Amino acid sequence: MSIDPAPAATLSEAAREIVEVGRFLSVRNFVPATSGNFSRRLDARTAAVTRSGVDKGELVEADILVADIHAPPPKGSSAETPLHLQLYRDRPEAQAVLHTHSVVAALLSNLRLPEGELVLQDFELLKALGDTRTHETAVSIPIFPNDQDIPRLADKVTAMLEKRTDLVAYLIAGHGLYTWGRSMAEARRHVVALEHLLTYELEKMKVRR
């Protein structure tokens, strides 16, 4: 059974959710230093996004900006904000987007970049991703080369999303993880599940050497 998207949020509600998820992910070292960026849809036209250059474990409400999904990012937001806004345009059901920079996501995405994807198969924890209801399946996570040209990268992501309606995440090589959800809770669950699965895949590579 699919999960209904979370309702629209006020800026205060969105800021509280973003501050809380920032602390949650920071203590797990998924967003070291000032890395990562988070957002929460406010309505069909706008989203709340994090300000650039702030430790995500120390966010306060003043660090949350309002962005028009169909306009250039607001001053002070991350250079990667267009990737969030693009996801809200391409995925109307998406209510939250989380971008993390863990060691395992950066390392494994670099190692598996030549394959263009990471295939996760037969894991019980796959049931934590989107509408997956069985471990007897394979979930492909696309891997894109890192690119300072964010609009060009966003175009590549859009092309992939058009082909993959089931997609809930992607990796940027040597950079990190992007995932989203129909609520902030679902997006956070995706981060935790995927970090566990990525760690398993990296450990498996070590064992097989």
Side-chain angles (χ1 to χ4, degrees):
M1 183 177 64
S2 63
I3 301 171
D4 292 332
T10 66
L11 179 57
S12 179
E13 291 168 341
R16 184 174 64 252
E17 290 184 17
I18 290 171
V19 168
E20 289 175 355
V21 82
R23 292 171 181 164
F24 178 89
L25 297 175
S26 180
V27 297
R28 288 157 178 80
N29 205 32
F30 293 163
V31 281
T34 61
S35 68
N37 33 78
F38 314 138
S39 64
R40 171 71 159 93
R41 186 190 291 275
L42 296 175
D43 53 40
R45 183 81 193 189
T46 60
V49 300
T50 46
R51 185 165 64 85
S52 180
V54 181
D55 187 315
K56 301 308 177 295
E58 299 176 356
L59 288 168
V60 296
E61 188 166 343
D63 296 319
I64 311 304
L65 310 174
V66 176
D68 185 324
I69 293 169
H70 299 280
K75 183 178 179 180
S77 63
S78 167
E80 297 166 15
T81 299
L83 295 172
H84 290 248
L85 305 184
Q86 164 259 338
L87 277 164
Y88 290 123
R89 293 192 300 270
D90 291 346
R91 287 287 191 267
E93 73 278 11
Q95 295 295 317
V97 180
L98 301 176
H99 172 43
T100 53
H101 280 237
S102 72
V103 172
V104 66
L107 179 56
L108 190 59
S109 59
N110 249 344
L111 293 172
R112 303 294 280 272
L113 177 60
E115 299 166 43
E117 64 177 350
L118 176 65
V119 178
L120 304 168
Q121 189 167 3
D122 296 332
F123 291 109
E124 182 68 17
L125 203 53
L126 290 175
K127 291 189 285 186
L129 304 179
D131 292 326
T132 305
R133 291 295 174 263
T134 176
H135 71 280
E136 296 176 325
T137 189
V139 173
S140 169
I141 308 298
I143 305 173
F144 297 96
N146 200 7
D147 194 340
Q148 296 303 303
D149 187 332
I150 299 301
R152 179 170 60 194
L153 178 57
D155 286 345
K156 293 177 181 178
V157 174
T158 290
M160 179 64 71
L161 290 170
E162 288 175 352
K163 294 186 290 185
R164 294 278 312 279
T165 59
D166 61 315
L167 205 60
V168 297
Y170 64 86
L171 290 160
I172 301 176
H175 188 151
L177 170 73
Y178 270 88
T179 188
W180 51 95
R182 291 160 291 194
S183 66
M184 182 64 78
E186 184 178 56
R188 188 181 79 169
R189 188 181 77 231
H190 288 166
V191 172
V192 174
L194 286 164
E195 289 289 347
H196 176 89
L197 293 166
L198 295 178
T199 300
Y200 177 92
E201 286 294 323
L202 186 60
E203 291 299 317
K204 183 171 70 176
M205 291 176 69
K206 293 178 186 178
V207 171
R208 289 181 173 179
R209 289 183 61 183

